[in-house]
Amino acid sequence: MLRFTVVAAACAASSASIMPQFSSWRQDSSSLLAFSPSSALLLPQSRLSSTCSFVKPSSPPTARCRGMRFVRPGSLRMSGGEMNMKPINVKPSKHDLETGRDPTRVKVFDTTLRDGEQSPGCSMTSDEKMQVAKQLARMGVDVIEAGFPIASNDDFLAVKQIADVVGNYENPPIICGLARATEGDIRRCADAVKGARFPRIHTFIATSDIHMEHKLRKSREEVLKITKQMVTLAKSLVDDVEFSAEDALRSDRAFLAQVFSVAIKAGATTINVPDTVGFTTPTEFKETIEYLRKHTEGIEDVTISVHGHDDLGMAVANFLGAIEGGARQVEVTVNGIGERAGNAAMEEVVMALHVRKSYYNPMFGRPADSNDALTNIVLKEIHRSSRLVTSLTGMMVQPNKAIVGANAFAHESGIHQDGMLKNKLTYEIIDASTIGLDNSDGIVLGKHSGRAAFKARLADLGIVLNEDETNKAFIRFKDLADKKKEITNADLESIVNDEAQDLAANRFKVMHVQVTCGISMVPTATVTLRDEKDDLELTDASTGTGPVDAAFQAVNRLCGIQGGGQANAADVKLMEYSVSSVTAGIDALGEVTVRLQDPRSGRVFLGRAADTDVVVASCVAYVNALNRLILQRSDLAPKLHPQLSVAGKAI
C-alpha cells in the first residue's frame, strides 16, 4: 500500500468525477479520505504513515477542492521498498461497467470446469458442465473458465454451449477458455468463447528453467518471442486476454517480470501468477507479487491474478498472502477439487475475506468497519454449489473440511455445546445460514404435495428445470415420498442432480434388482437390464462376496464384461465404491458413487445414483459408470448374454 498519499478532508464530488459510482461501491462523504491520482485509490487517513514527508513541489498543486490537495507522485519522498511499487489497477473494465460490479473487489475466477475437472474420475458430460456453469453464474463468480477447447471436440462443444447460454445471461460472467501459446489452440479457443457477451482467451507458456529446458526445450529468448506473438494473436481475436506464466513461483523473478512486460505490451489485460506445483509459501507469494509490481512494465494497467495448488496444504493461505501483495483476481475451484492435492478452495478464500473483512478492508482503501463486500459472490449459494459439484463429480467432501464439510457447524464437546446454547459466537465465527445452510431445512414436502408445490419449492431453491426435466424429477419425488416420510431440501437437490445426469449416452438401463443374503447364506443377486441399442431386456443372476458384489457380477455377465473386481480387470476395474447418506434417519436417501477404470487407457469413469435402497442405488451407479466407459471404448462392444439374445428378441 502506498504510504505517501496526501492527507486531506473529504471531497466526494471530486473523487466522484474521477471514479464512477457503482451499485455495489459506495463512499462515505463523512470519512476523512486521501486521494492519489496515480493510483485512483481512496485511502482512509488511518492507513497513512506518519513518517511520510513532503517536499515542496516545483509547481503549484494541480487541483484543490475543499481542503484536498493533489500532489504529484514525484514530489513525495517514500520509504523502503515501496519507492518503486506501482499502484494496483482499480480502473473498471467493460465487464465491471456493464454489470455494475465494484472495480476494487477481488475478482473470482472459477476453474472448476477446467482445472477441477482434471481430477482423476471427475470428468463431466456437457450437460453436467452446463448445470455447474449455471450455478456458478447464480453464485456471482466473475469469470468461468469453461474448459480447454483444443483438448477434444466434446470439450469444445461444452465451452461453446456455456458461452452461448450462460455467457448471455442478464448479468453474465466472463466466459473463458484455456489455450496453450500456439496458434491452433488460440484460434480454437476463440471459436469456442466468441458467443459470449464477454469472452476471454487464457493462454499460457512455462517460464521456469526446469520447464523450459525439459518440457518446452526452448530458450528464454524463444519464450519471450512466443509470448509476444501469441498474446498479439489472442488480442486480435478477443478484447480480453489473460496470460499465465506456468510454474511462475519457481521461475527467475527478473525473467518473470520480463515475460509479463512483453505480454502486457502485446495486449494482455490480466496477468496470472500460478503456483503450478503448490511449492510456495504465503510470504513468498506476497513478495513475488510486490516484486512484479516494482519491475513489470505496465502492470498498473492490468489485473494481477493468482493460481495455486494445495500440494503442501497452503493454497488458500498463499492466495491471501498474494492479495496482501496486490493480487486482485483469484483462480479457485468449488470444494478445492483439482489435479493432485487440488486447487485453492473458492469457499475458503471468499469466506476468509468476508469474515476477516475488518483486517482486509484497509488494503482496499476502505475503512476497517466497512460492510461492503470484497467479492461479488452470493454467499448463500456456496453450500448449494458445493453439493452440486459433489453430486456430479462424485468427489466427496471430507467431513471436517472448512466451510462446507458436514462437521463444519457441528459441536460435540460439552463445553462447546454449553457456550453455543448461550451465544453462538462463542464457538462459531460463521453462521451456517450465511452460506445457505439453513437449520429450517426440515420437512418441505410430502406425499400429498402436488406438482405446483413441487415446482415452487424448486424455484425457492434456485433450481431451474425445463418441463421434461421437471416431470422426471416429480415422478422421482412421488416415488420417494411413498417410501420416506420427511422430504428435505437436500433430498430434492439429490433427486434433481440424479435425474439431470446425461442419459443420452446410457445404453444399459437397470429394470429390476433383487438380492438375497444373510448369515450362512450365499449372497445372490438377480438383475434385469435393458439394452436400448439392441432392444433387449434380459435377466441373469450371480453370486458374490456380498449383495452389492453379486449385483455387479450379474451386470458383468449380462453385458459380457470381464472385470469388476481388483483381481479380474480385463475390461473393467472397480477403483472406488462409496455410499453416503443425504440426510439423517433410517429412511434417508443413500447416494452411491462408483469409479471404474479402463485398464487399457487408464481413464476413470464416474457413476452415481441415489435411492432409499443402497443396493439398487449401487447397481444403477455401476451401470451408469459402465455406460460412460463403453461410450469411450470404440473397441469394446458388449452385448447382453449372447446365448440369451435370441430368446430375448422372442420375448
Side-chain angles (χ1 to χ4, degrees):
M1 186 64 64
L2 293 177
R3 293 186 292 170
F4 58 91
T5 345
V6 183
V7 178
C11 181
S14 291
S15 59
S17 67
I18 295 172
M19 198 167 189
Q21 299 295 306
F22 294 87
S23 59
S24 59
W25 177 73
R26 300 187 300 276
Q27 88 184 24
D28 185 357
S29 59
S30 65
S31 301
L32 191 60
L33 300 174
F35 183 73
S36 165
S38 65
S39 63
L41 276 175
L42 289 171
L43 302 179
Q45 187 185 28
S46 61
R47 292 295 292 173
L48 297 174
S49 171
S50 59
T51 63
C52 178
S53 60
F54 293 85
V55 178
K56 185 177 180 180
S58 57
S59 59
T62 56
R64 293 180 183 274
C65 180
R66 290 173 53 197
M68 176 171 280
R69 199 156 57 99
F70 294 126
V71 181
R72 301 179 188 276
S75 66
L76 298 173
R77 214 165 33 227
M78 295 168 285
S79 60
E82 293 187 356
M83 183 174 295
N84 299 317
M85 191 84 73
K86 295 173 185 174
I88 297 168
N89 177 33
V90 293
K91 293 190 290 290
S93 66
K94 180 181 178 183
H95 181 248
D96 294 334
L97 291 169
E98 293 195 24
T99 61
R101 305 189 190 205
D102 178 1
T104 69
R105 74 193 183 284
V106 173
K107 299 174 184 178
V108 176
F109 176 113
D110 188 279
T111 184
T112 301
L113 296 176
R114 202 277 300 169
D115 207 338
E117 202 214 8
Q118 290 178 199
S119 300
C122 280
S123 59
M124 290 178 271
T125 65
S126 296
D127 287 348
E128 290 167 344
K129 286 184 177 182
M130 180 65 77
Q131 277 186 269
V132 174
K134 289 178 178 179
Q135 177 58 27
L136 293 175
R138 190 178 298 122
M139 187 167 59
V141 303
D142 299 292
V143 186
I144 296 176
E145 189 169 48
F148 192 11
I150 198 70
S152 69
N153 191 53
D154 286 344
D155 222 29
F156 172 85
L157 292 175
V159 175
K160 187 177 187 306
Q161 289 169 1
I162 291 170
D164 293 345
V165 178
V166 181
N168 286 284
Y169 277 4
E170 183 177 349
N171 184 8
I174 295 167
I175 304 299
C176 174
L178 184 69
R180 293 167 298 185
T182 67
E183 182 175 351
D185 277 37
I186 290 172
R187 291 193 182 279
R188 184 70 165 168
C189 184
D191 288 341
V193 301
K194 66 182 179 182
R197 277 176 60 191
F198 303 100
R200 174 182 291 186
I201 292 175
H202 179 192
T203 187
F204 70 96
I205 192 168
T207 55
S208 67
D209 289 334
I210 190 171
H211 273 246
M212 289 188 291
E213 178 182 352
H214 297 286
K215 187 180 77 171
L216 297 181
R217 300 186 186 280
K218 294 187 182 298
S219 66
R220 291 186 175 189
E221 290 71 23
E222 288 175 305
V223 167
L224 289 170
K225 181 179 179 181
I226 292 170
T227 298
K228 179 181 179 180
Q229 291 175 340
M230 293 302 107
V231 173
T232 300
L233 172 62
K235 189 68 173 180
S236 71
L237 300 171
V238 297
D239 291 333
D240 190 359
V241 177
E242 178 170 336
F243 173 76
S244 285
E246 187 183 11
D247 205 20
L249 271 296
R250 292 194 297 172
S251 300
D252 175 69
R253 283 182 178 176
F255 178 63
L256 189 63
Q258 188 179 4
V259 173
F260 282 139
S261 297
V262 169
I264 292 170
K265 189 174 182 180
T269 50
T270 299
I271 59 165
N272 183 40
V273 187
D275 182 19
T276 305
V277 293
F279 176 74
T280 196
T281 66
T283 301
E284 286 177 325
F285 218 149
K286 178 184 177 182
E287 291 173 349
T288 298
I289 300 300
E290 290 176 339
Y291 178 91
L292 292 172
R293 287 178 60 197
K294 295 176 187 175
H295 298 93
T296 303
E297 296 178 19
I299 199 168
E300 67 274 16
D301 296 320
V302 302
T303 299
I304 303 173
S305 176
V306 289
H307 178 104
H309 289 262
D310 206 33
D311 297 71
L312 295 177
M314 294 189 288
V316 171
N318 288 340
F319 276 27
L320 296 175
I323 288 170
E324 291 190 35
R328 289 299 180 264
Q329 177 177 286
V330 289
E331 305 200 352
V332 293
T333 61
V334 176
N335 296 339
I337 65 172
E339 286 198 271
R340 303 186 314 279
N343 290 53
M346 176 278 299
E347 60 278 2
E348 295 179 25
V349 175
V350 168
M351 290 307 296
L353 292 172
H354 174 73
V355 174
R356 298 305 315 277
K357 200 180 296 181
S358 61
Y359 174 78
Y360 289 102
N361 272 335
M363 302 174 196
F364 290 76
R366 306 176 182 187
D369 59 355
S370 171
N371 286 320
D372 290 348
L374 291 173
T375 71
N376 193 59
I377 295 297
V378 179
L379 302 181
K380 284 190 175 292
E381 295 293 336
I382 287 177
H383 183 261
R384 184 176 301 131
S385 302
S386 172
R387 283 275 306 156
L388 177 64
V389 170
T390 296
S391 297
L392 296 181
T393 64
M395 185 71 74
M396 306 304 296
V397 172
Q398 65 197 59
N400 64 330
K401 186 187 181 302
I403 314 301
V404 294
N407 294 346
F409 301 97
H411 301 269
E412 185 172 337
S413 165
I415 296 175
H416 285 214
Q417 289 174 344
D418 178 62
M420 285 289 295
L421 291 172
K422 293 173 180 174
N423 188 325
K424 277 190 173 184
L425 295 178
T426 54
Y427 287 102
E428 277 191 1
I429 59 173
I430 304 170
D431 191 314
S433 63
T434 303
I435 63 166
L437 186 60
D438 198 336
N439 289 333
S440 65
D441 186 26
I443 305 174
V444 293
L445 291 172
K447 65 179 181 180
H448 299 297
S449 301
R451 188 182 301 271
F454 177 74
K455 292 175 69 174
R457 189 54 188 164
L458 292 182
D460 290 341
L461 292 172
I463 298 172
V464 180
L465 301 176
N466 60 36
E467 194 63 29
D468 185 52
E469 291 170 337
T470 300
N471 291 337
K472 291 179 180 179
F474 183 69
I475 293 172
R476 281 290 307 278
F477 158 70
K478 296 298 280 187
D479 289 342
L480 178 61
D482 286 335
K483 303 174 185 176
K484 193 174 187 289
K485 184 178 179 180
E486 300 179 357
I487 309 297
T488 68
N489 291 346
D491 290 325
L492 292 178
E493 290 174 353
S494 180
I495 289 171
V496 170
N497 293 341
D498 204 21
E499 285 299 316
Q501 292 185 94
D502 185 7
L503 301 179
N506 283 3
R507 175 176 176 179
F508 298 112
K509 184 177 180 180
V510 178
M511 307 301 294
H512 170 82
V513 180
Q514 180 176 321
V515 297
T516 57
C517 60
I519 298 175
S520 301
M521 294 182 66
V522 177
T524 306
T526 303
V527 177
T528 300
L529 291 185
R530 177 172 182 78
D531 185 343
E532 300 287 357
K533 181 179 180 181
D534 292 338
D535 193 25
L536 294 174
E537 188 172 307
L538 298 171
T539 302
D540 203 349
S542 182
T543 60
T545 57
V548 172
D549 182 55
F552 288 0
Q553 297 301 340
V555 170
N556 288 343
R557 282 170 54 85
L558 284 167
C559 296
I561 293 290
Q562 299 297 316
Q566 295 291 334
N568 181 19
D571 296 321
V572 175
K573 185 173 183 179
L574 179 62
M575 300 296 293
E576 180 185 334
Y577 168 76
S578 62
V579 183
S580 62
S581 175
V582 174
T583 55
I586 192 67
D587 57 354
L589 273 177
E591 280 189 338
V592 176
T593 300
V594 170
R595 281 188 172 83
L596 299 180
Q597 184 184 54
D598 174 9
R600 295 192 183 183
S601 67
R603 291 189 61 184
V604 178
F605 299 89
L606 169 74
R608 63 166 299 278
D611 199 280
T612 52
D613 187 327
V614 294
V615 177
V616 172
S618 300
C619 192
V620 174
Y622 184 81
V623 171
N624 287 342
L626 193 62
N627 280 322
R628 291 185 173 187
L629 185 148
I630 292 170
L631 185 67
Q632 300 298 321
R633 275 280 298 272
S634 57
D635 64 310
L636 185 60
K639 296 181 179 179
L640 292 183
H641 203 294
Q643 285 95 343
L644 302 175
S645 60
V646 176
K649 288 186 179 292
I651 292 173

